[in-house]
Amino acid sequence: MGLVAEFDIPCEHLPAVGAAASVPSATVVLELQFNHGDRPVFLLTVTGGSRDEIEAAIADADDLTDCTLVGRAGDTRRYQAIPAFSLEEQLGPHLDDLSGLTALATADAIIERIEVTPDGWTQTGWFADRATFDEFRTFWQRNSGFRLRRLTRDGAPEPPGDGLTDRQDEALRTAYELGYFDVPRGASLEDVAAELGVSASSVSERLRRAQTRLVEETVAPTWPPLLD
């Protein structure tokens, strides 16, 4: 069964990040049109923010050229822009593994949404299996960074974990990213505690409560009722 994941890639060198950073009040969603050679046309959907500020930010961006407003509805505007560089040219000087970036383009995955933030991209995608997702995760962990927001099985009616507190959610994500749940473990409880700046006992409690909540939301509802 496939996976659906939402995650942050904190990399200021990704396309359109500079433009988004110039207008933090706007939400910028990027689509890549890969049928245009090694420089896929960018479609930018921008919601909020001042039109003048947005278009000035796009015009000033070193990595965008030939920007055209193609439509608008309310405070949402759609732009088409040509990248000034190929992805390899833009990211090559900042990545340790450029060949891995090319490999991701042929992985069994569909990235359906890219939100451009002031410090990188937030992506939502479908992955054929855990190995494919781990390929994305490990690549970005090695090269710039990776923060998981949610990970669910495809077909799930809604993402589990909405009942977690902010601290429980942070503890789970940090533990996952550091490799605490890997087999064998890539990090200790003390490593997670140090990353969060709290005691190991506090992390242990947060993880136990978070895991209990996730079981209640996902596994427990499918169990038959206990017999008296």
Side-chain angles (χ1 to χ4, degrees):
M1 183 177 291
L3 299 172
V4 180
E6 181 181 3
F7 50 90
D8 296 328
I9 302 173
C11 178
E12 62 182 9
H13 306 293
L14 286 165
V17 170
S22 298
V23 192
S25 61
T27 299
V28 181
V29 175
L30 172 67
E31 298 175 49
L32 306 178
Q33 303 295 298
F34 281 109
N35 57 340
H36 290 75
D38 66 347
R39 296 190 184 183
V41 171
F42 293 163
L43 298 181
L44 300 171
T45 301
V46 184
T47 304
S50 160
R51 176 179 175 177
D52 289 342
E53 290 180 337
I54 292 166
E55 295 184 356
I58 294 175
D60 290 343
D62 294 335
D63 53 4
L64 301 175
T65 63
D66 298 331
C67 182
T68 304
L69 175 66
V70 296
R72 58 187 176 186
D75 66 346
T76 297
R77 300 174 185 86
R78 297 266 289 175
Y79 296 91
Q80 178 175 288
I82 306 300
F85 315 101
S86 68
L87 291 177
E88 290 79 7
E89 290 171 339
Q90 179 152 354
L91 297 177
H94 311 289
L95 300 182
D96 295 331
D97 181 14
L98 189 58
S99 62
L101 179 65
T102 303
L104 290 186
T106 59
D108 295 328
I110 299 173
I111 302 299
E112 65 178 5
R113 189 176 193 274
I114 301 172
E115 180 175 339
V116 186
T117 67
D119 66 348
W121 284 1
T122 295
Q123 292 190 338
T124 302
W126 296 67
F127 300 85
D129 48 39
R130 183 56 182 260
T132 304
F133 170 72
D134 283 342
E135 185 178 353
F136 272 75
R137 175 180 61 84
T138 56
F139 173 83
W140 289 113
Q141 282 178 331
R142 289 195 309 267
N143 286 278
S144 63
F146 180 94
R147 292 191 297 265
L148 182 67
R149 288 174 172 256
R150 68 178 176 96
L151 182 65
T152 60
R153 296 287 184 185
D154 60 8
E158 60 183 25
D162 289 343
L164 300 181
T165 68
D166 290 343
R167 289 183 177 181
Q168 291 167 1
D169 183 82
E170 180 186 33
L172 270 181
R173 295 180 193 280
T174 302
Y176 176 84
E177 291 167 8
L178 292 179
Y180 178 75
F181 297 115
D182 291 352
V183 180
R185 279 184 172 165
S188 66
L189 194 63
E190 288 72 21
D191 293 331
V192 180
E195 182 71 16
L196 294 172
V198 299
S199 67
S201 61
S202 294
V203 171
S204 178
E205 179 181 354
R206 292 178 192 178
L207 290 177
R208 287 199 307 272
R209 291 182 182 275
Q211 291 172 65
T212 298
R213 181 60 178 171
L214 289 176
V215 170
E216 290 173 348
E217 292 183 355
T218 56
V219 179
T222 67
W223 293 345
L226 295 175
L227 298 177
D228 293 335

